[in-house]
Amino acid sequence: MTERLSPLELMTQLVRFPTVSRDSNLPLIDWVENYLADHGISAHRYTDPDEPKAALFAHVGPWEEGAVVLSGHTDVVPVDGQPWDTDPFDVVQKDGRYFGRGTCDMKGFDALALWAMVEAHHAGVKRPLQIALSFDEEIGCTGAPPMIAAMQPVLPKGASVIVGEPSSMRVVSGHKGGTGFDTHVQGFEVHSSLLDRGVNAIMFGAKLIDWANQMNAINQAAEPDDLAAMFDPPFTTLHVGQISGGTAHNITAKDCHFAMDFRVVPGEDKSAWEARYRARVAEVEAEMQAIVPDTRITISPRFDVPALQPEQDGAAENLVRGVTGDNASNVVSYGTEAGQFQEAGYSAVICGPGDIAQAHQPNEFISVVDFEAGHGFMQRLVDRLRQ
């Protein structure tokens, strides 16, 4: 009989695959598919048409609708430049923690989901269980929508999706939406002593960035509604995290590149924020073209992640509360694939082991206690599906 690996053995194996978003995840997908096949579980893939990447999904139990779906992503963020004390792609146990890239975000949950699939299959559950492992979550949740679309004609439609992002096993029923736009300001170069005849792309780009500062101040000063008040911070935020451009200190910058990102509270319209940004871009562009007509500002969508809306008597939330005993109302400001499942007609909730504060950090870890709590959750979940 094929060996059933423990959750720790599964996590150790998954972490060994350096599935940084810029690289392929196919070796990991191959391994998972073979491991499930060894236990008599057939898996299916969605393969990205442009990159050497794939999502994987599978079903165990009765071939009927209503499955619990365990959702995780396979990609991790880079370790470049981070001061790690151990090999980031090897799980190291020390001081009550499992260190390794992805242990917290979120190969720890992926391992627990794989363990639960194999256990549920061998237990002969009476209610179905599914797993869905995506790619490119870390660069804007771009891999989940095509995966979800590919799942639905192949597998019976699931009822409750548990997205296992690190939440310290708290039940999270809502998160902000996100959208972002790559912005390219194209100016006109002259010697900086002739500043009035040139168009400095950086300085005009700064007007857009300062607009973001102004919007943040206005949003922060406004009284939040009841739904927004659940979040920290309780308002929509605008952010620019990187900027590049310019040729020399004494030349007006010909180019300026940055990304304008929005984290939008549920209840507000992401498209309305896009419209506001495009309107401000048009104003700044007009100022530029009044000096040099050939200058311009180009913006292009970078990512779009829907908010997770708290559900009234949601099936996923009720299920997970029954397993965890958590009756508190929890929301988060980061985005996940849960909103994308919800948009596709699934009931969705977030619940996974680990602390989000450890995600993306050097010496990323999940505590042994948290990982064991996740294992206990999966054991109780499989027991419920057997009844």
Side-chain angles (χ1 to χ4, degrees):
M1 179 178 292
T2 302
E3 181 183 5
R4 298 190 207 177
L5 299 181
S6 70
L8 177 57
E9 290 170 327
L10 288 165
M11 179 172 67
T12 299
Q13 183 62 53
L14 295 180
V15 169
R16 285 175 181 157
F17 294 104
T19 51
V20 176
S21 303
R22 65 188 175 217
D23 301 322
S24 174
N25 73 335
L26 292 182
L28 181 149
I29 293 296
D30 290 341
W31 187 89
V32 170
E33 185 172 29
N34 289 333
Y35 180 70
L36 291 174
D38 287 344
H39 289 278
I41 303 171
S42 297
H44 308 267
R45 295 189 185 201
Y46 166 79
T47 301
D48 187 272
D50 301 316
E51 301 277 352
K53 300 177 181 180
L56 178 143
F57 43 91
H59 177 107
V60 298
W63 195 257
E64 61 188 29
E65 294 188 350
V68 176
V69 184
L70 303 175
S71 165
H73 60 81
T74 61
D75 58 320
V76 295
V77 296
V79 299
D80 307 34
Q82 292 187 332
W84 282 75
D85 297 329
T86 61
D87 181 348
F89 298 108
D90 185 28
V91 174
V92 176
Q93 182 176 357
K94 183 175 62 174
D95 301 327
R97 299 168 175 175
Y98 295 123
F99 292 89
R101 174 57 87 219
T103 51
C104 177
D105 185 19
M106 60 180 299
K107 290 180 178 179
F109 178 84
D110 294 346
L112 293 167
L114 279 173
W115 178 89
M117 286 289 289
V118 170
E119 292 301 309
H121 176 66
H122 287 297
V125 289
K126 296 179 180 178
R127 295 175 54 198
L129 183 68
Q130 295 177 358
I131 189 171
L133 300 178
S134 70
F135 60 91
D136 282 356
E137 190 274 348
E138 295 291 5
I139 57 174
C141 296
T142 58
M147 176 191 71
I148 295 168
M151 288 173 61
Q152 297 189 63
V154 175
L155 302 183
K157 182 71 174 281
S160 302
V161 178
I162 304 171
V163 177
E165 292 282 1
S167 70
S168 300
M169 298 310 300
R170 294 179 302 124
V171 180
V172 174
S173 58
H175 67 62
K176 291 184 178 182
T179 189
F181 301 92
D182 287 324
T183 304
H184 181 195
V185 184
Q186 297 170 266
F188 183 76
E189 288 183 315
V190 297
H191 193 280
S192 59
S193 64
L194 304 174
L195 181 69
D196 60 318
R197 302 171 205 178
V199 174
N200 189 316
I202 292 175
M203 296 183 73
F204 277 93
K207 294 187 177 187
L208 297 176
I209 296 172
D210 187 54
W211 173 80
N213 288 327
Q214 296 171 25
M215 292 299 100
N216 283 333
I218 291 170
N219 291 347
Q220 186 170 7
E223 184 72 23
D225 61 26
D226 291 343
L227 184 55
M230 298 172 65
F231 291 84
D232 181 18
F235 54 89
T236 292
T237 57
L238 288 68
H239 178 252
V240 174
Q242 288 184 310
I243 186 170
S244 64
T247 302
H249 292 297
N250 61 350
I251 302 175
T252 58
K254 184 177 185 295
D255 295 285
C256 179
H257 297 268
F258 58 88
M260 180 70 71
D261 293 348
F262 300 78
R263 292 190 181 272
V264 181
V265 294
E268 290 189 13
D269 186 356
K270 294 197 308 299
S271 63
W273 278 106
E274 177 183 354
R276 292 177 195 173
Y277 185 48
R278 289 187 180 276
R280 182 57 181 142
V281 165
E283 292 173 353
V284 174
E285 184 180 62
E287 295 176 28
M288 295 165 54
Q289 292 176 345
I291 303 170
V292 178
D294 288 340
T295 57
R296 65 183 59 84
I297 303 175
T298 305
I299 67 174
S300 55
R302 192 164 69 88
F303 70 93
D304 185 41
V305 180
L308 175 64
Q309 304 279 353
E311 301 171 5
Q312 186 69 33
D313 198 32
E317 183 177 351
N318 289 340
L319 169 68
V320 176
R321 288 195 187 282
V323 178
T324 63
D326 178 16
N327 292 316
S329 295
N330 303 296
V331 298
V332 293
S333 291
Y334 57 83
T336 78
E337 295 169 340
Q340 293 167 325
F341 274 100
Q342 191 177 64
E343 272 199 339
Y346 296 80
S347 175
V349 72
I350 301 164
C351 186
D355 185 341
I356 192 63
Q358 297 305 320
H360 305 180
Q361 298 300 306
N363 298 320
E364 177 184 346
F365 70 83
I366 187 171
S367 73
V368 173
V369 170
D370 278 359
F371 192 62
E372 290 178 348
H375 187 198
F377 173 90
M378 291 299 179
Q379 289 174 314
R380 294 189 297 274
L381 176 62
V382 172
D383 285 344
R384 279 180 171 245
L385 298 179
R386 295 175 64 183
Q387 299 170 8

